[in-house]
Amino acid sequence: MPTFRERIAERTRLTGGCLCIGLDSEPDKLPREFLGPGDPQVEFNRAIIDATKDLTVCYKPNTAFYESRGAEGFAALEQTARYLHSLGIPAIADSKRGDIGNTARQYAKAFLETMPFNAVTVNPYMGEDAIAPVRDYPDAGIFVLCYTSNPSRVDLQTKTIRKEDGTTETMYQWVARRIRDWDTAKNLCAVVGATAPEELGDIRGILGPEIPILCPGIGAQGGDLEETLRQGQASLDGNIMVNVSRSVLFASKGKDFAEAARNEAARIVEQMRRYLGLR
């Protein structure tokens, strides 16, 4: 069975881009008049997936938009994961969990076994104990939050810490080094915001060229695509995934939402292909 990294590399070469579509299917924004009798999130997600699957390396549902609906939302999340699984397309559960021991193990089981996701996002604040139980899934992708795309990341992530040898570094640099050191199963990845290209370049230098980086922040958050690809040293080896959510999902609020989503995704991928030398 191919690993997550291998599957991402294969999809990157197949699509000629590094687009990840975030399925942040906010219930209040769905064009319900176009949807059938089934669950609106599931129907919407399937329409988006069907319209963009040849352009996309992977999909990333943010679990909050499903969990907020209770049991129905959890069912919609699982159905979305199973649909992607049936198509052979990698799916990332953007759950940002971060706990230790048996608790972390149950989170991993929930998303990587009960729901057939191929990867999860995790919070490293509790240290390696929060990563180790999830890392035990060698074929999965474990995305560790390193430097996020939100403005208040500076509250913690840029703070200076003193190392044992007396030198200093920022918190995000420390986390990047830990990701590299903890990557014993060769399945760890990093989350670095596209809204901070200089820090992205710094982190790529720490991680090396092979550890995959997921970059949210293009589109509604204003990240620069070409600079993100440059600083992340994007290649066709699957070492970077650029996540776009709202600007693709809600490119149109009308009945043509799937067509509009495809057009926006195609526009982004075309930019990626030009950067990668494929156009």
Side-chain angles (χ1 to χ4, degrees), residues 51 114 147 157 189 195:
T114 303
Y147 194 67
Q157 296 167 25
C189 314
T195 52

Side-chain angles (χ1 to χ4, degrees), residues 1-15 17 56-58 88-91 118-119 137-143 183 185-189 210-213 235-241:
M1 178 178 178
T3 66
F4 178 78
R5 288 189 186 180
E6 290 169 342
R7 296 181 68 184
I8 290 298
E10 180 184 7
R11 292 284 302 177
T12 300
R13 290 188 286 269
L14 179 67
T15 63
T56 311
V57 171
C58 58
I89 301 174
N118 308 102
Y137 290 78
D139 294 335
I142 317 302
F143 285 88
D183 190 29
K186 301 301 178 185
N187 60 352
L188 293 193
C189 314
E210 294 182 355
I211 292 180
I213 299 177
S235 75
L236 289 174
D237 294 329
N239 68 342
I240 194 165
M241 287 145 280

